[in-house]
Amino acid sequence: MSVRAEVVARLRAAGVPSPEADADHLIEFVLGRRAIDPQLTPEQSQKLSDLVATRCRRVPLQHLTGTAGFRYLDIGVGPGVFIPRPETEVLVDIALQHEFATAVDLCTGSGAIALSLATETHARVVAVEKDPAALEWAQRNVGARVELRLADVCADDLRALGPVDLVVSNPPYIPEGMVPRDPEVALHDPPLALFGGPDGLDVVRCVISQARRMLAPGGRLLIEHGELQAAQIRELLHSFESVTTWQDLTGRDRVTGGWLVSAETP
């Protein structure tokens, strides 16, 4: 049995959802290059075996390699920060459909959304996060390209960050008491980044309230959410125009947003 086949078999037996892809990533991580049928030194074999054993305990692959791919970026991640997901790339795609000069990313986590907006446009981007541990990861990722703020969207008044053209957010939106199906999420993503109150929308409501304060008239708000929350969020966006829900690549409702009719006055 080849090295790759053995790794795939171990990962599959442990219930890892994508054993082939994970095997390729781990082998590449150990070798520093891609290899179809790698020849490993004893030290490399031991390192790979240890990594596979850890992955079999459902520690996220991204925690083992230290990075998560997001659009054109390699985002540094590890314990203490939410791992950016491919479905969140849809939020960035939608944001880029219209020009903007200024943007705020609320609940930024690793900074993946904010950094994508900053590197794919010439916009000035500010990112807000309340968890100091997550903010440390964001600082490592964004450097000087994004302005970071430590603040709580449900406790602080962020109107001073405006007026801006765009507000985006991937807030915590899992209802309390609901256990995520994947052990990688349930056991390793920080609860602050997952749970949004009894109906999952507590932080979403705060994001909408902050957006009304920060957006310039005609500015746009985009929120990522759970697949069953779109109708509720459209109702919460009653003061916005052209409210729309977009699907992710699996066809699930994933992003809802609209245009602010008029800015909130102090």
Side-chain angles (χ1 to χ4, degrees), residues 114-126:
L115 186 58
S116 291
L117 296 178
T119 55
E120 295 184 47
T121 72
H122 298 291
R124 173 181 173 267
V125 181
V126 178

Side-chain angles (χ1 to χ4, degrees), residues 93-172:
D93 285 333
I94 297 164
L96 295 175
Q97 290 174 0
H98 296 272
E99 291 186 5
F100 54 92
T102 50
V104 173
D105 175 23
L106 298 177
C107 310
T108 194
S110 67
I113 296 173
L115 186 58
S116 291
L117 296 178
T119 55
E120 295 184 47
T121 72
H122 298 291
R124 173 181 173 267
V125 181
V126 178
V128 177
E129 174 59 51
K130 80 170 186 177
D131 183 357
L135 199 70
E136 287 185 11
W137 283 102
Q139 183 61 69
R140 296 175 206 172
N141 288 319
V142 307
R145 295 188 179 186
V146 174
E147 180 182 344
L148 294 175
R149 296 289 184 91
L150 180 66
D152 185 343
V153 298
C154 290
D156 299 308
D157 187 338
L158 302 178
R159 74 177 73 240
L161 297 181
V164 297
D165 303 320
L166 174 69
V167 173
V168 295
S169 184
N170 178 17

